[in-house]
Amino acid sequence: PTGPVVGGLTANDFSARVGGVLAPVTAGGFVQEQYWLVVQAPAGLLDDLYELEVSLEESGTSTVLATDTEFSAVQYTSDKVDHVLVIDRSGSMGEPIEPTNAKLQAAKDAATFYVDVTRTGDGLAVVPYHHDVAPSPFAMVPVNATERTNARNYINDWSEPNGIYPAGATSIGDGLYEARNQRVSSPTTNPLCSFVLLS
C-alpha cells in the first residue's frame, strides 16, 4: 500500500493456482492502480473452500518474482448466484484519477470484469444511480453469452440521457434499494445472491 505502483504488466505476467491446481489466467487489466485478473477455475475440485495463490513472474519466463496466497478465498459450489452490480454515476465519479482515468471508467471496467466471470445460469442485474436510480436498470436476467454482451454494452454506454455518465448527487440508498428489488423479482430460482457496490 505504501510502495510504488508498477504499471505495464499484462495478464501473461501472472500465474494462479486454486487448491494447488494450475488455474489459467485468461484476461486481466489495470483498474485504478490495481491489477484485476480473470482466472479460469480448474475442473475436478469438489464443493468446498480453497486457497488462491497468485504469482508474478518475470516476463517471458516462469521465474517467480513474488507470490501471495489467500486461504479460503475460492468457493466451489454447484449453486447458481444472482449478481447485482450497483454503479455510482454521480457527478463526483467524473473526477479524474491518476494518470488520466476517471472514477466512473474504473467502476465500469470493474463491472465489465465481473460480468465476464458470471456463470451461465447465474442471474445478473445492473443498477446505476445518482440522486435517483437512472437510467432504468438492466433488469435481472439468467446469464448466457448474449446477456453478457448486452450487460457489457449497457455498462459501457456513455450517451446522454440514457447511458451511464457522471451527473447529479449521490443516493446510495436508492441504488441499494433497487438492487434488493432486482433480487426479489428475479426470474431465476438461484438460492444465493451477491451485491457489488462500485462507488
Side-chain angles (χ1 to χ4, degrees):
T2 59
V5 174
V6 177
L9 301 175
T10 70
N12 294 331
D13 295 314
F14 296 90
S15 66
R17 293 183 174 275
V18 174
V21 179
L22 188 63
V25 178
T26 60
F30 194 56
V31 178
Q32 202 167 353
E33 299 186 346
Q34 295 180 349
Y35 285 95
W36 288 44
L37 304 174
V38 177
V39 176
Q40 177 64 51
L45 297 177
L46 302 176
D47 284 7
D48 203 349
L49 289 170
Y50 295 91
E51 75 275 0
L52 171 66
E53 178 185 305
V54 177
S55 298
L56 173 62
E57 300 174 342
E58 186 174 337
S59 188
T61 74
S62 59
T63 302
V64 175
L65 300 174
T67 188
D68 186 39
T69 302
E70 296 296 325
F71 297 95
S72 300
V74 178
Q75 180 179 18
Y76 271 60
T77 176
S78 54
D79 290 332
K80 301 294 183 183
V81 180
D82 280 351
H83 305 275
V84 185
L85 302 175
V86 185
I87 302 175
D88 178 357
R89 53 156 294 218
S90 61
S92 63
M93 292 295 284
E95 294 174 3
I97 55 175
E98 294 302 326
T100 59
N101 205 351
K103 293 176 185 177
L104 184 55
Q105 184 61 58
K108 287 183 175 213
D109 291 345
T112 301
F113 273 120
Y114 199 96
V115 167
D116 288 343
V117 299
T118 57
R119 297 178 294 175
T120 298
D122 282 349
L124 177 63
V126 182
V127 177
Y129 72 91
H130 50 19
H131 45 268
D132 292 311
V133 172
S136 295
F138 180 86
M140 181 73 70
V141 293
V143 172
N144 58 37
T146 299
E147 294 300 350
R148 278 191 205 93
T149 298
N150 292 341
R152 283 192 293 268
N153 291 340
Y154 175 88
I155 290 165
N156 290 298
D157 181 0
W158 287 86
S159 66
E160 297 182 29
N162 297 318
I164 302 175
Y165 59 93
T170 308
S171 178
I172 293 174
D174 280 354
L176 291 176
Y177 186 75
E178 180 57 31
R180 176 234 176 240
N181 290 343
Q182 291 294 320
R183 168 62 177 169
V184 168
S185 62
S186 174
T188 75
T189 57
N190 295 335
L192 302 176
C193 66
S194 171
F195 296 88
V196 177
L197 174 64
L198 298 164
S199 178

